Amino acid sequence: MSIDALKSRLPEYAKDLKLNLGSVLNTSSLSPSQAWGTAVAAAFASRNAEVTKAIVADAKQHLDDATLTAAKAAGAIMGMNNIYYRFVHLAGNKEYSKMPARLRMNIIANPGAPKVDFELWSLAASAVNGCGMCIDAHEHEVIQKGASKENVQDVVRIASVIHAVASVLDAEDALAG
């Protein structure tokens, strides 16, 4: 499975997604490893097996094993953190924000890839998962670590296209029965 195979599975009404999937990974503001790591983290967050397999298969051509593992780890840890911190942020009872999370997050301190890259990938997963508190935290971190607003926008563009592709394929599979 490859990204080209994903594009061929998209119906005509999703032509814009097909075109965007072909272009968003060729961004000028991100390095290839930042772009492909973003795609991997977004695919993990999007929770579609076909999309995840295709993205990871193509990402292996651009990422070494340690970087691929770090991108997967960003998707994994944000799967937990985005739920927890979205709850803390949205709960009417603000006492939860004063309580320690008591969740292990060791990967954040030592991700096995450049810290700014891991934060970009965490931002992508947080955007897919809709955690405003995490989006703010990761956007702040990447800007402090030297990333540009264009980098942030490109990460979110990649994440949005991958999530949309996953949603369309899930919907088409549901309709096909």
Side-chain angles (χ1 to χ4, degrees), residues 84-92 94 96-97 131-133 136:
Y84 181 81
Y85 288 107
R86 185 171 58 219
F87 165 79
V88 168
H89 178 72
L90 294 175
K94 297 306 172 195
Y96 296 110
S97 65
C131 180
M133 189 173 180
D136 286 345

Side-chain angles (χ1 to χ4, degrees), residues 38-156:
T38 295
V40 169
F44 269 57
S46 296
R47 298 183 291 266
N48 176 285
E50 187 177 1
V51 169
T52 302
K53 286 178 189 175
I55 295 292
V56 169
D58 283 1
K60 286 179 179 179
Q61 299 170 35
H62 304 275
L63 304 175
D64 62 32
D65 289 342
T67 305
L68 178 60
T69 297
K72 290 177 182 179
I77 197 71
M78 290 305 112
M80 175 183 73
N81 286 1
N82 294 156
I83 297 299
Y84 181 81
Y85 288 107
R86 185 171 58 219
F87 165 79
V88 168
H89 178 72
L90 294 175
N93 185 340
K94 297 306 172 195
E95 291 297 315
Y96 296 110
S97 65
K98 298 174 186 168
M99 299 169 72
R102 289 186 290 169
L103 296 170
R104 293 195 181 270
M105 300 177 229
N106 296 328
I107 193 69
I108 295 172
N110 188 15
K115 190 77 163 124
V116 69
D117 293 358
F118 189 81
E119 290 290 337
L120 287 167
W121 305 333
S122 297
L123 175 62
S126 297
V128 170
N129 290 328
C131 180
M133 189 173 180
C134 293
I135 289 169
D136 286 345
H138 294 294
E139 188 270 347
H140 177 76
E141 280 295 311
V142 299
I143 296 296
Q144 279 206 322
K145 291 182 181 346
S148 68
K149 288 186 169 70
E150 185 180 26
N151 296 149
V152 169
Q153 183 186 36
D154 282 342
V155 162
V156 177

